Amino acid sequence: MTNSNNSELLIQVINLAKRPDRLALISADLDKAGLKFETQVAVDGQTVESSSKFLSKGEIGCFKSHVNAMRRQVEVGAPFSLILEDDAALSPGLNEKYLSEMTNLMIRNQIDILQIGFIEHHYSLSRSMRRGILEFLIELLRGRGQKDVSGVRFVLGEFRSGSHAYIINNRLAEGISSTVKEPPLIPWDGYIHSLARQLGRGEIRVACLVQSVAAQASRLSENSKLDSNIAI
């Protein structure tokens, strides 16, 4: 499908050719929101030759797929790209106006990657309290993040579990796509998390929203049966 939203934002959906059912579901969500997108055909990790002892074939395919999405962004010259995996479940309020607000937030706060969706149950209060009271209080305060002038809260220097929904600017997309030729020893979301931890040591600024607006359908709870061919 041809992307025809605000020319500032390219929406891409990463989808394995053998999972048209997943593409149909997210297409329906995006159509309902009035958002046009391009399909980024995912790299099938099962067909990739690799001797890695640290990453599964699916994780390698996932990594390459995200880098390819960034190459596409650079190719078309889009200032921003919303990159979605095909199992992203979008909140009703995620529309063109909301996404425009998010790119403006990124510009105001000089953010290169803004994670708008993560696996929420990994950050539940009950799970946080298991680590101890002090750790719980520190995490609770940090999790409040900072408030943008729009009223939206975000946490700078953090990228949470899940890479199914984030916005990246052209500057960092070009930097990653031109320098990262092969996956390192960690999965894609771990790689972005490592960039987030560089806050204050360089010029890359990564942030996540305090409130996720896109769940990962295959990981809605701790007991969910994983149904994702991209990263297994």
Side-chain angles (χ1 to χ4, degrees):
M1 185 178 290
T2 303
N3 188 83
S4 59
N5 305 293
N6 185 325
S7 59
E8 296 286 302
L9 180 71
L10 170 69
I11 299 178
Q12 301 183 75
V13 173
I14 297 174
N15 168 253
L16 275 173
K18 63 185 179 183
R19 291 303 302 265
D21 56 316
R22 300 281 286 277
L23 183 59
L25 288 173
I26 193 167
S27 294
D29 278 352
L30 290 166
D31 288 345
K32 187 175 180 180
L35 297 170
K36 304 299 182 182
F37 66 94
E38 290 186 3
T39 302
Q40 175 63 239
V41 179
V43 175
D44 188 344
Q46 303 308 314
T47 66
V48 175
E49 290 210 11
S50 171
S51 58
S52 174
K53 298 178 181 178
F54 302 95
L55 298 177
S56 69
K57 285 182 173 290
E59 288 171 332
I60 292 171
C62 177
F63 199 107
K64 288 178 175 288
S65 298
H66 281 268
V67 173
N68 284 345
M70 293 180 186
R71 291 193 177 115
R72 175 59 179 164
Q73 177 183 354
V74 173
E75 178 186 355
V76 302
F80 296 94
S81 184
L82 168 61
I83 299 177
L84 299 168
E85 292 180 354
D86 60 10
D87 60 345
L90 311 181
S91 298
L94 202 157
N95 51 32
E96 187 169 349
K97 179 182 177 182
Y98 177 83
L99 292 173
S100 179
E101 290 174 352
M102 292 304 99
T103 55
N104 287 334
L105 180 152
M106 292 175 70
I107 293 169
R108 281 192 296 271
N109 297 281
Q110 299 180 305
I111 295 171
D112 296 297
I113 290 183
L114 179 65
Q115 184 182 31
I116 66 171
F118 51 86
I119 304 173
E120 291 186 273
H121 66 81
H122 284 187
Y123 305 92
S124 65
L125 290 178
S126 60
R127 176 174 284 211
S128 298
M129 289 186 72
R130 294 175 202 162
R131 303 173 190 171
I133 295 298
L134 180 58
E135 291 82 358
F136 166 72
L137 291 174
I138 292 173
E139 189 167 321
L140 185 64
L141 290 172
R142 174 177 170 76
R144 284 182 52 78
Q146 59 194 78
K147 184 187 287 187
D148 179 61
V149 296
S150 65
V152 175
R153 285 191 171 275
F154 64 93
V155 183
L156 195 60
E158 185 163 332
F159 193 90
R160 297 180 173 181
S161 297
S163 55
H164 54 280
Y166 61 90
I167 302 171
I168 183 169
N169 65 15
N170 187 279
R171 184 182 82 100
L172 188 55
E174 183 173 11
I176 291 176
S177 61
S178 63
T179 59
V180 181
K181 304 303 181 184
E182 292 295 328
L185 304 181
I186 52 178
W188 177 251
D189 56 351
Y191 172 71
I192 301 299
H193 178 75
S194 70
L195 293 182
R197 292 302 185 189
Q198 299 304 308
L199 184 65
R201 301 180 191 174
E203 297 182 355
I204 298 175
R205 289 167 65 88
V206 179
C208 74
L209 295 181
V210 168
Q211 183 67 49
S212 174
V213 296
Q216 190 170 22
S218 59
R219 300 182 182 183
L220 290 176
S221 73
E222 295 186 62
N223 299 319
S224 294
K225 180 180 179 182
L226 183 61
D227 178 29
S228 176
N229 297 99
I230 293 179
I232 59 175

